[in-house]
Amino acid sequence: MLIGPSGGGKSTFLQCLNFLIHPDQGEVFLDGKRINPDNKRELYDFRQHVGMIFQDFNLFDHLTAEGNVSIALRKVKGMSKKEAHARAIHELDRVGLSMRSDHYPAQLSGGQKQRVAIARALAMDPKVILLDEPTSALDPELVGEVVAVIRKLAAGGMPMLLATHQMDFAQALATEIIFMEKGRIVEQGSPETLLAPGAGTRTQDFCLSLNQMGAQNPAPCCSKAETQETME
Amino acid sequence: MEHLLDFFSNIDASAFTFDLDYISEKVIPVLNRGLWVSLSLIVPSVILGFIFGVAIGAGRVFAPPRIRRLLDLHVTLVRGVPLLVQMFIIYYGLPSIGIRFEPYVAGVLSFTICTSAYQAEYIRGALMSISQGQIKAAHALGFSTLKSVLWVIIPQALRRALPGCGNEVIYLIKYSSLASAIVMMDLTGEAVGLASQEYKYTEVYVMLGAYYLAITSAATLALYLIERKTAIPGFGRLAAGAAK
Protein backbone atom coordinates (compact mmCIF):
# COMPACT_ATOMS: atom_id res chain seq x y z
CA MET A 1 0.00 0.00 0.00
CA LEU A 2 1.43 3.33 -1.10
CA ILE A 3 0.19 6.44 0.62
CA GLY A 4 1.30 10.03 0.83
CA PRO A 5 0.40 13.54 -0.30
CA SER A 6 -0.33 14.39 -3.93
CA GLY A 7 2.80 14.95 -5.97
CA GLY A 8 4.71 12.68 -3.61
CA GLY A 9 5.73 10.28 -6.35
CA LYS A 10 3.28 7.42 -5.86
CA SER A 11 2.09 7.33 -9.48
CA THR A 12 5.57 7.86 -10.84
CA PHE A 13 6.84 5.00 -8.70
CA LEU A 14 4.09 2.63 -9.90
CA GLN A 15 4.70 3.57 -13.53
CA CYS A 16 8.42 3.03 -13.11
CA LEU A 17 7.70 -0.50 -11.96
CA ASN A 18 6.42 -1.52 -15.38
CA PHE A 19 8.62 0.97 -17.24
CA LEU A 20 5.80 3.19 -18.48
CA ILE A 21 8.18 5.82 -17.13
CA HIS A 22 11.84 4.94 -17.44
CA PRO A 23 13.39 4.89 -13.98
CA ASP A 24 16.60 6.92 -13.60
CA GLN A 25 18.10 4.08 -11.65
CA GLY A 26 17.24 0.86 -9.89
CA GLU A 27 16.21 -2.61 -10.95
CA VAL A 28 12.92 -4.46 -11.16
CA PHE A 29 12.62 -8.15 -10.45
CA LEU A 30 9.71 -10.47 -11.16
CA ASP A 31 9.85 -13.98 -9.69
CA GLY A 32 13.50 -13.34 -8.90
CA LYS A 33 14.32 -12.50 -12.49
CA ARG A 34 15.78 -9.09 -13.29
CA ILE A 35 13.92 -7.29 -16.07
CA ASN A 36 15.98 -5.63 -18.76
CA PRO A 37 13.72 -2.86 -20.14
CA ASP A 38 15.97 -2.30 -23.16
CA ASN A 39 15.06 -5.75 -24.46
CA LYS A 40 11.70 -4.98 -26.06
CA ARG A 41 10.51 -8.57 -26.19
CA GLU A 42 11.36 -9.15 -22.55
CA LEU A 43 9.70 -5.84 -21.61
CA TYR A 44 6.44 -6.62 -23.45
CA ASP A 45 6.38 -10.07 -21.95
CA PHE A 46 7.01 -8.69 -18.45
CA ARG A 47 4.21 -6.13 -18.78
CA GLN A 48 1.73 -8.89 -19.63
CA HIS A 49 2.38 -10.31 -16.18
CA VAL A 50 1.95 -6.98 -14.40
CA GLY A 51 -1.60 -5.68 -14.42
CA MET A 52 -2.13 -1.95 -14.12
CA ILE A 53 -5.21 -0.02 -13.01
CA PHE A 54 -5.24 3.73 -13.59
CA GLN A 55 -6.96 6.50 -11.71
CA ASP A 56 -8.88 7.61 -14.80
CA PHE A 57 -9.55 4.06 -16.11
CA ASN A 58 -8.02 4.56 -19.58
CA LEU A 59 -10.45 2.23 -21.27
CA PHE A 60 -10.22 2.06 -25.05
CA ASP A 61 -13.06 4.36 -26.10
CA HIS A 62 -13.77 2.64 -29.42
CA LEU A 63 -14.33 -0.80 -27.95
CA THR A 64 -17.18 -2.30 -25.92
CA ALA A 65 -16.54 -3.61 -22.42
CA GLU A 66 -16.02 -7.05 -23.96
CA GLY A 67 -13.70 -5.61 -26.63
CA ASN A 68 -11.65 -3.80 -24.00
CA VAL A 69 -11.01 -7.06 -22.18
CA SER A 70 -10.51 -9.27 -25.22
CA ILE A 71 -8.33 -7.06 -27.45
CA ALA A 72 -5.08 -7.73 -25.59
CA LEU A 73 -5.92 -11.44 -25.40
CA ARG A 74 -6.19 -11.49 -29.18
CA LYS A 75 -3.51 -9.03 -30.27
CA VAL A 76 -0.93 -9.66 -27.54
CA LYS A 77 -1.57 -13.24 -26.44
CA GLY A 78 -2.70 -14.40 -29.88
CA MET A 79 -5.91 -16.06 -28.73
CA SER A 80 -8.65 -16.75 -31.25
CA LYS A 81 -11.59 -14.40 -31.33
CA LYS A 82 -13.91 -16.99 -29.83
CA GLU A 83 -11.53 -17.98 -27.07
CA ALA A 84 -10.84 -14.35 -26.18
CA HIS A 85 -14.56 -13.58 -26.15
CA ALA A 86 -15.32 -16.41 -23.75
CA ARG A 87 -12.50 -15.34 -21.44
CA ALA A 88 -13.62 -11.70 -21.57
CA ILE A 89 -17.19 -12.60 -20.61
CA HIS A 90 -15.85 -14.72 -17.77
CA GLU A 91 -13.72 -11.86 -16.44
CA LEU A 92 -16.56 -9.35 -16.77
CA ASP A 93 -18.71 -11.77 -14.83
CA ARG A 94 -16.12 -11.81 -12.04
CA VAL A 95 -16.50 -8.04 -11.63
CA GLY A 96 -20.28 -8.29 -11.98
CA LEU A 97 -20.57 -6.72 -15.42
CA SER A 98 -21.30 -9.54 -17.86
CA MET A 99 -24.67 -7.98 -18.65
CA ARG A 100 -22.90 -4.77 -19.71
CA SER A 101 -20.46 -6.53 -22.05
CA ASP A 102 -21.73 -4.79 -25.20
CA HIS A 103 -21.72 -1.29 -23.69
CA TYR A 104 -19.15 1.27 -24.79
CA PRO A 105 -17.14 3.21 -22.18
CA ALA A 106 -19.28 6.30 -22.79
CA GLN A 107 -22.31 4.26 -21.73
CA LEU A 108 -20.80 3.11 -18.43
CA SER A 109 -20.59 4.85 -15.06
CA GLY A 110 -17.20 5.58 -13.51
CA GLY A 111 -17.42 2.61 -11.19
CA GLN A 112 -18.37 0.29 -14.03
CA LYS A 113 -15.50 1.62 -16.15
CA GLN A 114 -13.02 0.91 -13.39
CA ARG A 115 -14.41 -2.61 -12.97
CA VAL A 116 -14.01 -3.20 -16.73
CA ALA A 117 -10.42 -1.97 -16.37
CA ILE A 118 -9.88 -4.48 -13.57
CA ALA A 119 -11.38 -7.28 -15.68
CA ARG A 120 -9.08 -6.23 -18.54
CA ALA A 121 -6.05 -6.54 -16.27
CA LEU A 122 -7.20 -9.86 -14.76
CA ALA A 123 -7.74 -11.45 -18.16
CA MET A 124 -3.98 -11.32 -18.75
CA ASP A 125 -3.41 -13.60 -15.72
CA PRO A 126 -1.12 -11.10 -14.00
CA LYS A 127 1.25 -12.17 -11.25
CA VAL A 128 0.88 -8.80 -9.57
CA ILE A 129 -1.45 -5.84 -10.06
CA LEU A 130 -0.47 -2.18 -9.70
CA LEU A 131 -3.39 0.07 -8.78
CA ASP A 132 -2.88 3.81 -9.09
CA GLU A 133 -5.55 5.51 -6.96
CA PRO A 134 -8.28 3.29 -8.40
CA THR A 135 -11.11 5.10 -6.60
CA SER A 136 -9.94 8.73 -6.65
CA ALA A 137 -11.79 9.71 -9.82
CA LEU A 138 -15.06 8.15 -8.71
CA ASP A 139 -18.18 9.73 -7.26
CA PRO A 140 -18.40 8.82 -3.56
CA GLU A 141 -21.37 6.51 -4.05
CA LEU A 142 -19.51 4.53 -6.71
CA VAL A 143 -16.39 3.89 -4.65
CA GLY A 144 -17.98 0.95 -2.84
CA GLU A 145 -18.47 -1.26 -5.90
CA VAL A 146 -14.82 -0.90 -6.94
CA VAL A 147 -13.54 -1.39 -3.40
CA ALA A 148 -15.63 -4.57 -3.16
CA VAL A 149 -13.93 -5.98 -6.27
CA ILE A 150 -10.47 -5.10 -4.97
CA ARG A 151 -11.26 -6.66 -1.57
CA LYS A 152 -12.36 -9.83 -3.31
CA LEU A 153 -9.07 -9.91 -5.23
CA ALA A 154 -7.12 -9.41 -2.02
CA ALA A 155 -9.05 -12.20 -0.35
CA GLY A 156 -8.18 -14.42 -3.30
CA GLY A 157 -4.49 -13.80 -2.60
CA MET A 158 -3.68 -11.60 -5.60
CA PRO A 159 -0.47 -9.65 -4.90
CA MET A 160 -1.27 -5.95 -5.27
CA LEU A 161 0.52 -2.65 -4.97
CA LEU A 162 -2.04 0.05 -4.37
CA ALA A 163 -1.60 3.82 -4.21
CA THR A 164 -4.47 5.44 -2.39
CA HIS A 165 -5.74 8.26 -0.22
CA GLN A 166 -8.36 6.02 1.29
CA MET A 167 -7.08 5.10 4.69
CA ASP A 168 -9.72 2.51 5.44
CA PHE A 169 -8.37 0.68 2.43
CA ALA A 170 -4.87 0.88 3.80
CA GLN A 171 -5.95 -0.45 7.15
CA ALA A 172 -8.17 -3.21 5.95
CA LEU A 173 -6.05 -4.62 3.14
CA ALA A 174 -2.46 -3.60 3.64
CA THR A 175 0.18 -6.01 4.79
CA GLU A 176 2.74 -3.25 4.41
CA ILE A 177 2.43 0.52 4.15
CA ILE A 178 4.92 2.67 2.28
CA PHE A 179 4.63 6.39 2.93
CA MET A 180 6.01 8.56 0.12
CA GLU A 181 6.64 12.28 0.10
CA LYS A 182 8.62 14.47 -2.29
CA GLY A 183 9.67 11.48 -4.34
CA ARG A 184 11.15 9.55 -1.43
CA ILE A 185 10.03 6.76 0.83
CA VAL A 186 9.65 8.35 4.26
CA GLU A 187 8.32 5.43 6.24
CA GLN A 188 7.75 1.77 5.62
CA GLY A 189 6.23 -0.89 7.81
CA SER A 190 3.17 -2.87 8.76
CA PRO A 191 -0.05 -0.95 9.40
CA GLU A 192 -0.02 -2.17 12.99
CA THR A 193 3.32 -0.46 13.66
CA LEU A 194 2.85 2.70 11.62
CA LEU A 195 -0.72 3.38 12.74
CA ALA A 196 -0.44 2.14 16.33
CA PRO A 197 -1.90 4.55 18.87
CA GLY A 198 0.72 7.12 19.78
CA ALA A 199 3.19 5.80 17.22
CA GLY A 200 3.92 9.43 16.24
CA THR A 201 4.77 8.45 12.67
CA ARG A 202 4.43 10.68 9.60
CA THR A 203 1.92 8.15 8.28
CA GLN A 204 -0.26 8.60 11.32
CA ASP A 205 -0.11 12.42 11.06
CA PHE A 206 -1.17 12.17 7.44
CA CYS A 207 -4.10 9.91 8.28
CA LEU A 208 -5.24 12.20 11.07
CA SER A 209 -5.20 15.25 8.80
CA LEU A 210 -7.18 13.33 6.18
CA ASN A 211 -9.71 12.37 8.81
CA GLN A 212 -10.04 15.94 10.05
CA MET A 213 -10.83 17.06 6.52
CA GLY A 214 -13.38 14.26 6.47
CA ALA A 215 -15.04 15.63 9.59
CA GLN A 216 -15.56 19.04 7.97
CA ASN A 217 -17.01 17.43 4.90
CA PRO A 218 -18.75 14.33 6.18
CA ALA A 219 -20.44 13.00 3.06
CA PRO A 220 -17.57 11.53 1.04
CA CYS A 221 -15.51 10.47 4.04
CA CYS A 222 -17.82 8.54 6.27
CA SER A 223 -15.59 5.54 5.84
CA LYS A 224 -12.62 7.58 7.00
CA ALA A 225 -14.44 8.64 10.14
CA GLU A 226 -14.82 4.97 10.85
CA THR A 227 -11.08 4.57 10.51
CA GLN A 228 -10.54 7.27 13.10
CA GLU A 229 -12.68 5.41 15.58
CA THR A 230 -10.70 2.26 15.21
CA MET A 231 -7.49 4.23 15.51
CA GLU A 232 -8.48 5.88 18.77
CA MET B 1 -22.24 53.77 -59.70
CA GLU B 2 -22.27 54.49 -63.40
CA HIS B 3 -20.28 51.36 -64.04
CA LEU B 4 -22.82 49.40 -62.09
CA LEU B 5 -25.70 50.82 -64.14
CA ASP B 6 -23.78 50.06 -67.31
CA PHE B 7 -23.25 46.55 -66.10
CA PHE B 8 -26.93 45.92 -65.56
CA SER B 9 -28.11 47.66 -68.71
CA ASN B 10 -25.84 45.36 -70.70
CA ILE B 11 -27.64 42.31 -69.40
CA ASP B 12 -29.92 41.00 -72.13
CA ALA B 13 -31.96 38.07 -70.88
CA SER B 14 -33.67 37.59 -74.24
CA ALA B 15 -30.32 36.52 -75.72
CA PHE B 16 -30.20 33.56 -73.30
CA THR B 17 -30.48 30.23 -75.04
CA PHE B 18 -30.44 26.80 -73.50
CA ASP B 19 -30.59 24.25 -76.29
CA LEU B 20 -32.00 21.10 -74.69
CA ASP B 21 -31.66 19.02 -77.87
CA TYR B 22 -28.02 19.98 -78.11
CA ILE B 23 -27.58 18.92 -74.50
CA SER B 24 -29.15 15.49 -74.90
CA GLU B 25 -27.62 14.73 -78.29
CA LYS B 26 -24.17 16.18 -77.90
CA VAL B 27 -23.26 17.38 -74.41
CA ILE B 28 -24.35 14.37 -72.37
CA PRO B 29 -22.64 11.68 -74.51
CA VAL B 30 -19.40 13.69 -74.57
CA LEU B 31 -19.48 14.43 -70.84
CA ASN B 32 -20.30 10.78 -70.06
CA ARG B 33 -17.09 9.84 -71.85
CA GLY B 34 -15.20 12.40 -69.76
CA LEU B 35 -16.95 11.23 -66.59
CA TRP B 36 -15.29 7.82 -66.77
CA VAL B 37 -11.89 9.41 -67.25
CA SER B 38 -12.52 11.72 -64.30
CA LEU B 39 -13.66 8.84 -62.09
CA SER B 40 -10.64 6.78 -63.14
CA LEU B 41 -8.49 9.66 -61.89
CA ILE B 42 -10.46 10.38 -58.72
CA VAL B 43 -11.08 6.90 -57.29
CA PRO B 44 -7.45 5.66 -57.23
CA SER B 45 -6.27 9.08 -56.02
CA VAL B 46 -8.75 9.03 -53.12
CA ILE B 47 -7.74 5.51 -52.08
CA LEU B 48 -3.98 5.98 -52.48
CA GLY B 49 -4.15 9.48 -51.03
CA PHE B 50 -5.91 8.18 -47.95
CA ILE B 51 -3.43 5.32 -47.41
CA PHE B 52 -0.41 7.61 -47.81
CA GLY B 53 -2.18 10.27 -45.76
CA VAL B 54 -2.54 7.86 -42.83
CA ALA B 55 1.10 6.79 -43.19
CA ILE B 56 2.43 10.36 -43.41
CA GLY B 57 0.14 11.58 -40.62
CA ALA B 58 1.17 8.71 -38.34
CA GLY B 59 4.81 9.28 -39.25
CA ARG B 60 4.55 12.95 -38.33
CA VAL B 61 3.37 11.94 -34.86
CA PHE B 62 5.21 8.70 -34.08
CA ALA B 63 8.30 8.50 -36.30
CA PRO B 64 11.81 9.35 -35.06
CA PRO B 65 12.58 13.11 -35.20
CA ARG B 66 14.66 12.92 -38.38
CA ILE B 67 11.91 11.24 -40.41
CA ARG B 68 9.36 13.55 -38.79
CA ARG B 69 11.25 16.63 -40.01
CA LEU B 70 11.47 15.17 -43.51
CA LEU B 71 7.70 14.60 -43.55
CA ASP B 72 7.07 18.10 -42.20
CA LEU B 73 9.12 19.48 -45.10
CA HIS B 74 7.21 17.31 -47.57
CA VAL B 75 3.83 18.53 -46.30
CA THR B 76 5.00 22.17 -46.30
CA LEU B 77 6.16 21.89 -49.92
CA VAL B 78 3.07 20.11 -51.19
CA ARG B 79 0.62 22.35 -49.40
CA GLY B 80 2.50 25.51 -50.28
CA VAL B 81 2.77 25.03 -54.06
CA PRO B 82 -0.36 25.25 -56.27
CA LEU B 83 -1.50 21.86 -57.53
CA LEU B 84 -1.45 23.07 -61.12
CA VAL B 85 2.22 24.02 -60.75
CA GLN B 86 2.99 20.61 -59.21
CA MET B 87 1.28 18.91 -62.15
CA PHE B 88 3.32 21.00 -64.63
CA ILE B 89 6.52 20.07 -62.80
CA ILE B 90 5.65 16.36 -62.81
CA TYR B 91 4.36 16.16 -66.39
CA TYR B 92 6.40 18.81 -68.22
CA GLY B 93 9.38 19.31 -65.91
CA LEU B 94 10.50 15.81 -64.96
CA PRO B 95 11.06 14.60 -68.57
CA SER B 96 14.03 16.99 -68.72
CA ILE B 97 15.79 14.70 -66.21
CA GLY B 98 14.59 11.61 -68.04
CA ILE B 99 11.47 10.82 -65.95
CA ARG B 100 8.46 10.51 -68.24
CA PHE B 101 4.90 9.67 -67.24
CA GLU B 102 1.75 9.01 -69.23
CA PRO B 103 -0.72 11.86 -68.61
CA TYR B 104 -2.95 9.49 -66.62
CA VAL B 105 -0.09 8.36 -64.37
CA ALA B 106 1.11 11.95 -63.92
CA GLY B 107 -2.44 12.93 -62.99
CA VAL B 108 -2.99 10.21 -60.39
CA LEU B 109 0.51 10.79 -59.02
CA SER B 110 0.08 14.52 -58.51
CA PHE B 111 -3.43 14.16 -57.08
CA THR B 112 -2.26 11.46 -54.68
CA ILE B 113 0.74 13.50 -53.52
CA CYS B 114 -1.41 16.57 -53.02
CA THR B 115 -4.40 14.98 -51.32
CA SER B 116 -2.26 12.76 -49.07
CA ALA B 117 -0.47 15.83 -47.70
CA TYR B 118 -3.81 17.37 -46.73
CA GLN B 119 -5.19 14.08 -45.40
CA ALA B 120 -2.03 13.70 -43.31
CA GLU B 121 -2.86 16.92 -41.50
CA TYR B 122 -6.37 15.74 -40.60
CA ILE B 123 -4.98 12.39 -39.48
CA ARG B 124 -2.20 14.04 -37.47
CA GLY B 125 -4.72 16.19 -35.63
CA ALA B 126 -6.90 13.18 -34.88
CA LEU B 127 -3.95 11.07 -33.71
CA MET B 128 -2.89 13.76 -31.29
CA SER B 129 -6.40 13.95 -29.87
CA ILE B 130 -6.26 10.35 -28.56
CA SER B 131 -5.44 10.43 -24.87
CA GLN B 132 -1.94 9.45 -23.72
CA GLY B 133 -3.66 7.40 -21.02
CA GLN B 134 -5.00 4.89 -23.53
CA ILE B 135 -1.52 4.47 -25.00
CA LYS B 136 -0.18 3.85 -21.50
CA ALA B 137 -2.95 1.35 -20.84
CA ALA B 138 -2.11 -0.50 -24.06
CA HIS B 139 1.60 -0.57 -23.17
CA ALA B 140 0.77 -1.80 -19.68
CA LEU B 141 -1.11 -4.73 -21.25
CA GLY B 142 1.98 -5.71 -23.23
CA PHE B 143 1.17 -4.02 -26.56
CA SER B 144 4.23 -2.99 -28.56
CA THR B 145 4.22 0.58 -29.85
CA LEU B 146 3.27 -0.60 -33.36
CA LYS B 147 0.43 -2.75 -32.06
CA SER B 148 -0.94 0.00 -29.85
CA VAL B 149 -0.90 2.42 -32.79
CA LEU B 150 -2.55 -0.17 -35.02
CA TRP B 151 -5.27 -1.46 -32.71
CA VAL B 152 -5.94 1.36 -30.28
CA ILE B 153 -4.96 4.69 -31.77
CA ILE B 154 -5.67 4.39 -35.50
CA PRO B 155 -9.21 2.98 -35.15
CA GLN B 156 -10.14 5.96 -32.99
CA ALA B 157 -8.19 8.55 -34.95
CA LEU B 158 -9.79 7.49 -38.24
CA ARG B 159 -13.24 8.07 -36.80
CA ARG B 160 -12.21 11.49 -35.56
CA ALA B 161 -10.56 12.36 -38.88
CA LEU B 162 -13.46 11.19 -41.05
CA PRO B 163 -15.29 14.54 -41.40
CA GLY B 164 -12.08 16.34 -42.38
CA CYS B 165 -10.96 13.59 -44.72
CA GLY B 166 -14.39 13.60 -46.35
CA ASN B 167 -14.00 17.31 -46.96
CA GLU B 168 -10.69 16.61 -48.67
CA VAL B 169 -12.34 14.00 -50.92
CA ILE B 170 -14.81 16.65 -52.09
CA TYR B 171 -11.91 18.99 -52.82
CA LEU B 172 -10.09 16.29 -54.77
CA ILE B 173 -13.14 15.69 -56.94
CA LYS B 174 -13.16 19.35 -57.85
CA TYR B 175 -9.46 19.81 -58.40
CA SER B 176 -9.41 16.74 -60.61
CA SER B 177 -10.67 19.24 -63.23
CA LEU B 178 -7.07 20.43 -63.47
CA ALA B 179 -6.18 17.16 -65.23
CA SER B 180 -7.19 18.78 -68.51
CA ALA B 181 -4.11 20.98 -68.16
CA ILE B 182 -1.91 17.92 -68.75
CA VAL B 183 -3.93 16.86 -71.81
CA MET B 184 -6.25 14.44 -70.02
CA MET B 185 -9.68 14.23 -71.63
CA ASP B 186 -11.55 14.22 -68.32
CA LEU B 187 -14.91 15.94 -67.76
CA THR B 188 -13.39 19.39 -68.02
CA GLY B 189 -11.13 18.48 -70.94
CA GLU B 190 -14.06 17.10 -72.95
CA ALA B 191 -16.23 20.11 -72.06
CA VAL B 192 -13.59 22.63 -73.13
CA GLY B 193 -13.12 20.75 -76.41
CA LEU B 194 -16.84 20.61 -77.09
CA ALA B 195 -17.45 24.25 -76.20
CA SER B 196 -14.77 25.40 -78.61
CA GLN B 197 -16.52 23.54 -81.47
CA GLU B 198 -19.90 25.22 -81.41
CA TYR B 199 -19.44 28.00 -78.85
CA LYS B 200 -22.48 26.87 -76.84
CA TYR B 201 -20.71 27.79 -73.63
CA THR B 202 -23.81 28.04 -71.45
CA GLU B 203 -25.12 24.55 -72.25
CA VAL B 204 -21.72 22.88 -71.96
CA TYR B 205 -20.45 24.56 -68.80
CA VAL B 206 -23.73 24.50 -66.88
CA MET B 207 -23.93 20.77 -67.60
CA LEU B 208 -20.29 20.36 -66.62
CA GLY B 209 -21.07 22.01 -63.28
CA ALA B 210 -24.05 19.68 -62.86
CA TYR B 211 -21.82 16.63 -63.41
CA TYR B 212 -19.37 17.73 -60.74
CA LEU B 213 -22.27 18.50 -58.40
CA ALA B 214 -23.59 14.98 -58.98
CA ILE B 215 -20.22 13.39 -58.18
CA THR B 216 -19.68 15.46 -55.04
CA SER B 217 -23.27 14.75 -53.91
CA ALA B 218 -22.75 11.02 -54.36
CA ALA B 219 -19.47 11.27 -52.44
CA THR B 220 -21.14 13.26 -49.65
CA LEU B 221 -23.83 10.61 -49.32
CA ALA B 222 -21.26 7.80 -49.30
CA LEU B 223 -19.23 9.60 -46.62
CA TYR B 224 -22.34 10.15 -44.53
CA LEU B 225 -23.15 6.43 -44.73
CA ILE B 226 -19.60 5.49 -43.74
CA GLU B 227 -19.73 7.91 -40.82
CA ARG B 228 -23.04 6.47 -39.66
CA LYS B 229 -21.85 2.90 -40.09
CA THR B 230 -18.68 3.47 -38.06
CA ALA B 231 -20.31 5.64 -35.38
CA ILE B 232 -19.68 4.57 -31.80
CA PRO B 233 -21.29 5.95 -28.64
CA GLY B 234 -18.87 8.46 -27.19
CA PHE B 235 -17.59 9.61 -30.55
CA GLY B 236 -19.14 12.80 -31.92
CA ARG B 237 -22.79 12.89 -32.88
CA LEU B 238 -24.11 9.95 -30.90
CA ALA B 239 -22.26 10.96 -27.72
CA ALA B 240 -25.12 13.09 -26.40
CA GLY B 241 -27.66 10.38 -25.71
CA ALA B 242 -25.08 7.85 -24.61
CA ALA B 243 -24.66 8.55 -20.90
CA LYS B 244 -25.95 5.68 -18.84
Side-chain angles (χ1 to χ4, degrees):
Chain A
M1 193 73 59
L2 279 170
I3 58 173
S6 298
K10 303 186 296 291
S11 293
T12 308
F13 176 60
L14 283 182
Q15 295 191 25
C16 280
L17 285 180
N18 64 355
F19 303 101
L20 288 180
I21 296 174
H22 257 258
D24 294 330
Q25 49 174 302
E27 294 173 321
V28 178
F29 292 85
L30 182 69
D31 288 344
K33 186 174 171 291
R34 184 185 169 273
I35 308 305
N36 172 15
D38 297 325
N39 180 337
K40 293 281 181 206
R41 181 169 299 203
E42 198 180 313
L43 175 63
Y44 298 147
D45 189 60
F46 162 72
R47 281 177 178 159
Q48 288 181 47
H49 295 112
V50 180
M52 180 132 199
I53 305 298
F54 299 86
Q55 181 175 350
D56 40 10
F57 329 127
N58 291 337
L59 291 185
F60 305 134
D61 288 333
H62 64 304
L63 296 172
T64 61
E66 185 273 329
N68 264 280
V69 181
S70 64
I71 182 112
L73 296 176
R74 287 167 54 204
K75 302 304 175 192
V76 177
K77 286 204 158 182
M79 277 191 194
S80 73
K81 203 170 174 178
K82 208 171 144 189
E83 220 178 339
H85 175 80
R87 181 68 199 266
I89 296 295
H90 172 72
E91 293 300 340
L92 286 172
D93 198 39
R94 270 173 76 181
V95 297
L97 282 174
S98 51
M99 70 295 179
R100 291 256 184 267
S101 65
D102 59 349
H103 283 51
Y104 287 93
Q107 298 167 309
L108 297 170
S109 71
Q112 291 171 336
K113 280 187 220 181
Q114 194 59 294
R115 282 146 71 195
V116 172
I118 292 172
R120 179 172 72 175
L122 288 177
M124 300 299 283
D125 294 320
K127 292 179 175 158
V128 55
I129 300 184
L130 314 174
L131 302 101
D132 187 0
E133 303 198 26
T135 56
S136 300
L138 298 175
D139 289 341
E141 76 267 26
L142 300 177
V143 169
E145 60 188 80
V146 173
V147 170
V149 169
I150 295 172
R151 276 178 193 275
K152 212 167 86 184
L153 280 179
M158 172 65 76
M160 288 188 280
L161 206 59
L162 192 149
T164 187
H165 285 139
Q166 274 206 292
M167 288 315 301
D168 57 332
F169 236 3
Q171 286 230 304
L173 296 179
T175 51
E176 183 163 14
I177 291 180
I178 296 173
F179 187 90
M180 286 190 79
E181 194 168 29
K182 293 179 184 147
R184 304 203 170 277
I185 294 176
V186 179
E187 282 167 3
Q188 186 169 2
S190 70
E192 293 79 24
T193 355
L194 289 182
L195 296 174
T201 54
R202 183 72 187 85
T203 310
Q204 197 171 39
D205 280 355
F206 181 72
C207 295
L208 281 172
S209 70
L210 274 187
N211 289 334
Q212 274 156 12
M213 284 191 302
Q216 283 160 8
N217 181 14
C221 293
C222 33
S223 50
K224 282 169 190 157
E226 213 173 277
T227 315
Q228 196 172 24
E229 272 167 38
T230 52
M231 276 167 54
E232 288 163 353
Chain B
M1 197 63 196
E2 258 173 57
H3 289 292
L4 203 62
L5 285 175
D6 258 7
F7 176 78
F8 281 111
S9 64
N10 281 337
I11 295 177
D12 178 6
S14 66
F16 179 78
T17 59
F18 205 69
D19 187 340
L20 290 176
D21 290 338
Y22 178 69
I23 285 174
S24 61
E25 279 162 28
K26 202 75 207 229
V27 180
I28 288 179
V30 170
L31 288 186
N32 281 350
R33 204 167 60 207
L35 176 66
W36 292 117
V37 178
S38 281
L39 289 178
S40 72
L41 283 164
I42 293 165
V43 173
S45 303
V46 165
I47 295 169
L48 290 173
F50 186 69
I51 294 170
F52 282 107
V54 171
I56 295 170
R60 289 189 70 189
V61 179
F62 299 111
R66 197 174 297 175
I67 297 176
R68 214 179 298 176
R69 272 199 295 278
L70 212 64
L71 293 173
D72 288 350
L73 179 72
H74 167 81
V75 170
T76 308
L77 279 179
V78 173
R79 288 203 307 172
V81 176
L83 175 58
L84 188 61
V85 177
Q86 293 177 37
M87 294 173 72
F88 284 160
I89 293 172
I90 289 174
Y91 185 65
Y92 295 113
L94 290 184
S96 67
I97 57 165
I99 303 174
R100 260 166 248 278
F101 294 112
E102 294 290 307
Y104 174 74
V105 178
V108 171
L109 190 63
S110 41
F111 291 156
T112 301
I113 290 173
C114 180
T115 200
S116 66
Y118 284 98
Q119 299 276 25
E121 279 302 275
Y122 292 115
I123 303 278
R124 187 172 71 100
L127 286 171
M128 291 195 304
S129 77
I130 307 303
S131 69
Q132 281 294 311
Q134 291 188 53
I135 302 169
K136 270 189 182 168
H139 281 153
L141 285 165
F143 280 80
S144 65
T145 302
L146 181 67
K147 277 183 183 168
S148 62
V149 169
L150 225 50
W151 301 111
V152 174
I153 303 173
I154 297 240
Q156 296 184 48
L158 288 188
R159 287 184 171 88
R160 293 241 166 103
L162 201 55
C165 291
N167 200 25
E168 183 51 31
V169 170
I170 304 294
Y171 270 116
L172 175 61
I173 290 168
K174 290 184 291 180
Y175 52 62
S176 76
S177 64
L178 292 174
S180 56
I182 52 169
V183 302
M184 284 296 294
M185 288 310 271
D186 71 330
L187 269 173
T188 305
E190 293 281 8
V192 170
L194 184 63
S196 65
Q197 284 169 22
E198 297 183 46
Y199 309 113
K200 296 201 182 227
Y201 294 114
T202 317
E203 287 84 348
V204 174
Y205 289 140
V206 168
M207 284 309 292
L208 177 63
Y211 268 68
Y212 279 111
L213 185 61
I215 307 177
T216 53
S217 301
T220 304
L221 179 68
L223 288 161
Y224 168 75
L225 292 176
I226 294 174
E227 210 171 311
R228 205 176 61 173
K229 178 104 178 138
T230 58
I232 276 178
F235 273 83
R237 200 160 26 96
L238 288 176
K244 187 206 138 220

